[in-house]
Amino acid sequence: PDNYIFDTTQSALVIQGMTYSISLTPSNVYPLGFGVWIDYNHDGDFGDSGEFVFSSNPSTSAVNGFITIPGWADTGLTGMRIRIFYFATPGDTDYCTTSPYGETEDYSVYILPPFPFDAGATSIISPQGCKFDSSEAVTVLIKNFGYNTLYAGDTVFVSFTLDTLPSVNEY
């Protein structure tokens, strides 16, 4: 009971359907197992199907894995629990069990829906004029008309097709 922490200094922003890496490092010389739960339906517990999202066998070094946020997860603010077990591997029902050695840490997670980007080309920067061949670089200004903000580091995939028919029209 004395090894519980609700950490309000760290939180996560995640998106339905996206996969995230997780790395957990024991701060001990004894082998520790990790378990991670996310309260996807926001009902205040971690016991529902699919909420046990990661487990590791006891280790004295960092453990790494991936967590995929399901598309059915409720959006908004919810909780994530990380439990550390001394010489044991946590199971799905261990989100609230008693353990004489270990630690329980709760964090806030904000789940967002998939970004509804509505991107479109607003202008052609280059080439200018009517000369256009396969050696020309094409620069296009693309604007996000969607309601979600793009942040530095976000990746937006763009594809386009150039029609290289003999006729060229300028507008």
Side-chain angles (χ1 to χ4, degrees), residues 6 11 16 24 68 70 85 102-103 111 121 129-131 139 141 152 162:
F6 179 46
S11 62
Q16 292 171 324
L24 301 164
T68 299
F85 285 70
E103 189 164 299
I111 301 173
C130 59
K131 181 183 178 211
T139 304
L141 180 62
L162 292 177

Side-chain angles (χ1 to χ4, degrees), residues 21-105:
S21 62
I22 187 167
S23 180
L24 301 164
T25 306
S27 60
N28 205 309
V29 296
Y30 301 106
L32 301 174
F34 291 92
V36 180
W37 295 259
I38 298 176
D39 183 12
Y40 287 134
N41 64 357
H42 305 207
D43 68 349
D45 68 50
F46 302 97
D48 301 297
S49 177
E51 293 185 338
F52 183 51
V53 297
F54 181 80
S55 181
S56 73
N57 293 323
S59 175
T60 57
S61 59
V63 294
N64 301 295
F66 296 94
I67 296 172
T68 299
I69 308 302
W72 52 261
D74 289 346
T75 58
L77 187 64
T78 194
M80 176 176 70
R81 174 163 292 172
I82 300 175
R83 295 205 65 200
I84 304 163
F85 285 70
Y86 177 73
F87 278 104
T89 302
D92 63 339
T93 59
D94 287 324
Y95 62 92
C96 199
T97 58
T98 302
S99 176
Y101 300 103
E103 189 164 299
T104 301
E105 300 177 6

